[in-house]
Amino acid sequence: MWRFMWIAVVVLIFDQLTKLAATDYLTLHGEINLTPFLSFVLVHNTGAAFGFLSSAGGWQNVFFIVVALSACVFILWLSWRLDRRDMFLAIGLMLVLGGALGNLTDRLFHGYVIDFIDVYYRAWHWPAFNVADSAITMGAVILALDALQPGSRKTR
């Protein structure tokens, strides 16, 4: 299913471009309120989802790099084994791959992941996230929906 690799590449490029724009603009101007429930705010996340392990002391960056690299290799291996009819699964895998590569790129070059999208209601804030996180979430939803489909999976 290499014909869907462009999805991962587009996610990676769009993720890095938006992080670059957010870093440049938000460093100069600070938080930007877009709506009563959405803001752009610059966050350097040294942890994982929801800031998990963000105050672990630094070792977590290497751990998350190893996890992301392992996940990327596993996704590529799975993609290679897919049957041509598994387009929905391939799309989900490529969304997860692109997001994983986007956050991996941040960890390798910065030592943290750049988050900038802040969704909230009054004082309740969802943890800040980015395009890569959104792609991973959409890909995971697609993978879950695909797993719920009846029928067996055909692989090489």
Side-chain angles (χ1 to χ4, degrees), residues 31-43 49-51 116-129:
E31 182 176 347
I32 300 168
N33 294 311
L34 300 173
T35 69
F37 60 87
L38 178 66
S39 294
F40 287 156
V41 58
L42 189 60
V43 176
F50 309 112
F116 61 92
I117 303 168
D118 182 26
V119 176
Y120 57 90
Y121 177 73
R122 295 186 182 169
W124 179 85
H125 285 257
W126 186 259
F129 59 97

Side-chain angles (χ1 to χ4, degrees), residues 71-123:
C72 291
V73 168
F74 182 67
I75 290 168
L76 290 171
W77 177 78
L78 277 178
S79 297
W80 177 73
R81 295 178 43 89
L82 286 180
D83 186 271
R84 292 188 62 78
R85 295 172 292 188
D86 290 327
M87 294 187 328
F88 198 54
L89 181 58
I91 291 168
L93 288 171
M94 290 304 111
L95 285 168
V96 173
L97 178 63
L101 289 171
N103 285 339
L104 175 62
T105 300
D106 283 6
R107 290 191 187 284
L108 290 171
F109 287 98
H110 306 294
Y112 52 81
V113 173
I114 298 167
D115 292 326
F116 61 92
I117 303 168
D118 182 26
V119 176
Y120 57 90
Y121 177 73
R122 295 186 182 169

Side-chain angles (χ1 to χ4, degrees), residues 14-40:
F14 188 60
D15 175 67
Q16 291 300 299
L17 289 175
T18 56
K19 288 173 179 174
L20 180 63
T23 299
D24 288 348
Y25 193 83
L26 295 172
T27 299
L28 292 174
H29 302 287
E31 182 176 347
I32 300 168
N33 294 311
L34 300 173
T35 69
F37 60 87
L38 178 66
S39 294
F40 287 156

